[in-house]
C-alpha cells in the first residue's frame, strides 16, 4: 500500500506495440509527465496523452500510450493512486458501476423501461406503423390467408339462401345505421360450413367468415338468434375497422425483432416466446375494443346488446360439449386468450340497461 505523501511507484507491464513480449517496468508521475523505467527502458510521456482505462474493482488496468504502446497492471490501490496523481478523476459512470446501489437503481430503471415498452411502446409503435401501411396490403394478406385455408377447413355453406340473404341484409342495414358515408368499413361477408365447429372471424382486408355451425348455435337462443349473429358479425367488423389483424402482425414482428436482437441466435423458440406471450395480452384489448363496436352496431339497429350475453352462455355450454370442445372446437370470438366470459357477459348486460 502506498503511504500518504510518499512518491508513487507502480509496477506494470509495458508493451512497446511492436512485440508481444511484456517488459516489467515501474511507473511514477513527475510533474505533468509519466515516467516509465525498466530494464533498458527509460521513457517519459505527457500525462495528457495517456488514455487511462475506467476504474474497476477486478481485472487488469490498462493505459494506451500515443505511440501504440500500452501499460497493463492488476487493479490495485497503487495504480488507482497513480491515476489520481496524474490528475485523472473517477467518472460518474465508473462510480455508478462500482456502487451496488447504482446497479440496483439501473436494474429497476431497465425493468421499468422494458415494462413500459412492453405495455405501451409496442402497441403505440404498431398503431403508428399500421397507419402508414396501405389498406391494399391488408387485402393482399387476407386473400393469401383465405386461399391457404381453402377447402381444408371450409366447405360450401348449407344454409338456406333465404337465411343467408336475411342475415346479410340485416347486418348491412345495421352497419349503415352505425356508420355513415366514407366512414363505413368495407367488408365481404362469407358463409361457410366449417370443419372446426362454430366460428366467426375476420381476415385482414375485410373478409368476415361466418360458419353454419355458429348460426346453428345462435338459434338455440330462440328470439335472440338474429341479434346474436348480428352482434358477432359486428364484433368481427370491429376487428376490420380497427385493423386489429395488421396491428397484431406488426406487434408480433416488433417483439420478435427485439427478442432476436437481445437473444441472438441462441434459440429461435426462446426468441419467439415473448411474441406469443405479449399477443395473448394484446388480444384482450382488441376484443374489448371490438365488443364496444358490437354494442354500438346492435344499439344502432335497435337490437338488444344483452343477446350477446346469452351468446357467451351458449359458448360456455358448447365448450363443455365433447362434440364441439377441444382445440379445434374453440370459438374464435371466445378463445382462452380473450377476456373472461363472465366479464363480457357483464359488459353486454350493462349496456342493455
Amino acid at each position: 500500500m502506498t503511504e500518504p505523501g510518499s512518491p508513487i511507484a507502480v509496477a506494470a507491464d509495458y508493451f512497446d506495440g511492436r512485440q508481444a513480449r511484456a517488459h516489467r517496468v515501474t511507473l511514477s508521475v513527475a510533474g505533468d509527465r509519466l515516467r516509465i523505467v525498466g530494464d533498458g527502458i527509460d521513457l517519459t510521456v505527457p500525462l495528457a496523452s495517456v488514455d487511462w482505462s475506467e476504474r474497476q474493482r477486478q481485472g487488469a488496468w490498462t493505459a494506451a500510450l500515443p505511440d501504440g504502446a500500452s501499460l497493463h497492471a492488476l487493479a490495485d490501490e497503487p495504480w488507482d493512486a497513480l491515476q489520481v496523481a496524474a490528475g485523472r478523476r473517477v467518472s460518474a459512470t465508473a462510480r455508478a458501476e462500482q456502487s451496488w446501489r447504482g446497479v440496483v437503481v439501473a436494474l429497476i430503471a431497465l425493468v421499468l423501461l422494458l415494462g413500459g415498452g412492453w405495455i405501451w411502446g409496442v402497441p403505440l409503435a404498431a398503431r403508428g406503423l399500421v397507419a402508414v401501411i396501405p389498406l391494399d396490403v391488408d387485402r393482399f394478406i387476407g386473400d393469401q390467408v383465405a386461399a391457404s385455408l381453402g377447402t381444408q377447413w371450409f366447405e360450401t355453406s348449407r344454409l338456406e339462401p333465404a337465411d343467408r340473404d336475411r342475415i346479410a341484409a340485416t347486418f348491412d342495414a345495421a352497419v349503415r345505421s352505425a356508420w355513415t358515408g366514407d366512414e363505413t368499413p368495407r367488408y365481404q361477408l362469407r358463409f361457410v360450413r366449417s370443419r372446426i365447429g362454430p366460428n366467426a372471424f375476420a381476415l385482414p382486408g375485410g373478409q368476415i367468415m361466418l360458419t353454419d355451425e355458429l348460426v346453428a348455435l345462435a338459434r338455440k337462443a330462440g328470439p335472440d338468434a338474429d341479434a346474436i349473429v348480428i352482434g358477432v358479425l359486428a364484433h368481427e367488423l370491429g376487428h376490420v375497422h380497427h385493423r386489429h389483424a395488421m396491428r397484431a402482425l406488426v406487434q408480433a414482428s416488433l417483439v420478435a425483432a427485439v427478442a432476436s436482437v437481445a437473444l441472438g441466435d441462441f434459440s429461435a423458440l426462446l426468441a419467439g416466446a415473448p411474441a406469443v406471450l405479449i399477443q395473448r395480452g394484446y388480444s384482450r384489448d382488441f376484443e374489448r375494443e371490438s365488443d364496444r363496436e358490437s354494442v354500438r352496431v346492435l344499439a344502432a339497429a335497435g337490437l338488444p346488446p344483452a343477446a350477446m350475453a346469452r351468446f357467451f352462455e351458449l359458448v360456455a355450454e358448447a365448450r363443455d360439449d365433447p362434440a364441439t370442445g377441444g382445440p379445434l372446437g374453440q370459438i374464435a370470438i371466445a378463445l382462452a386468450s380473450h377476456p373472461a366470459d363472465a366479464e363480457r357477459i357483464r359488459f353486454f348486460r350493462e349496456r342493455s340497461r
Side-chain angles (χ1 to χ4, degrees), residues 20-247:
R21 186 168 67 89
H23 303 272
R24 198 64 176 170
V25 297
T26 300
L27 308 177
S28 60
V29 175
D32 62 350
R33 303 184 72 83
L34 175 67
R35 188 176 182 188
I36 307 170
V37 179
D39 187 11
I41 300 173
D42 192 346
L43 305 170
T44 59
V45 179
L47 289 172
S49 66
V50 180
D51 184 10
W52 305 91
S53 66
E54 285 287 358
R55 186 179 185 220
Q56 52 189 330
R57 292 185 184 276
Q58 298 177 341
W61 295 77
T62 63
L65 304 180
D67 60 354
S70 62
L71 299 167
H72 297 248
L74 293 178
D76 54 15
E77 184 177 344
W79 181 268
D80 192 15
L82 177 68
Q83 293 187 76
V84 173
R88 184 174 187 272
R89 296 294 180 262
V90 180
S91 68
T93 300
R95 287 196 299 270
E97 289 175 347
Q98 302 303 316
S99 168
W100 67 266
R101 293 182 180 85
V103 172
V104 171
V105 170
L107 179 60
I108 293 174
L110 177 61
V111 170
L112 292 176
L113 178 63
L114 292 176
W118 182 286
I119 297 172
W120 298 293
V122 172
L124 184 62
R127 185 186 291 271
L129 288 172
V130 169
V132 299
I133 296 176
L135 288 172
D136 288 343
V137 176
D138 298 47
R139 298 187 187 100
F140 174 79
I141 294 175
D143 291 342
Q144 295 300 310
V145 173
S148 67
L149 293 174
T151 57
Q152 181 179 1
W153 301 110
F154 302 117
E155 300 175 356
T156 301
S157 172
R158 297 183 187 177
L159 285 179
E160 293 294 331
D163 291 333
R164 296 201 300 267
D165 291 344
R166 187 189 74 258
I167 292 172
T170 304
F171 182 53
D172 183 69
V175 170
R176 293 185 183 280
S177 298
W179 281 283
T180 58
D182 294 337
E183 296 180 357
T184 305
R186 295 184 180 181
Y187 69 92
Q188 305 87 43
L189 180 57
R190 293 181 55 183
F191 295 89
V192 294
R193 181 177 176 81
S194 171
R195 296 183 180 179
I196 57 175
N199 244 302
F201 56 90
L203 298 178
Q207 293 190 56
I208 299 177
M209 306 285 192
L210 176 65
T211 69
D212 295 356
E213 292 77 10
L214 191 140
V215 175
L217 179 68
R219 285 174 175 168
K220 294 181 179 180
D224 288 334
D226 284 350
I228 286 176
V229 173
I230 300 307
V232 170
L233 291 177
H235 172 96
E236 298 304 324
L237 188 61
H239 288 309
V240 173
H241 179 60
H242 295 287
R243 302 180 73 181
H244 287 160
M246 285 299 294
R247 285 165 58 186

Side-chain angles (χ1 to χ4, degrees), residues 244-269:
H244 287 160
M246 285 299 294
R247 285 165 58 186
L249 178 60
V250 172
Q251 286 175 186
S253 299
L254 288 174
V255 175
V258 172
S260 297
V261 170
L263 301 175
D265 295 328
F266 177 75
S267 170
L269 179 60

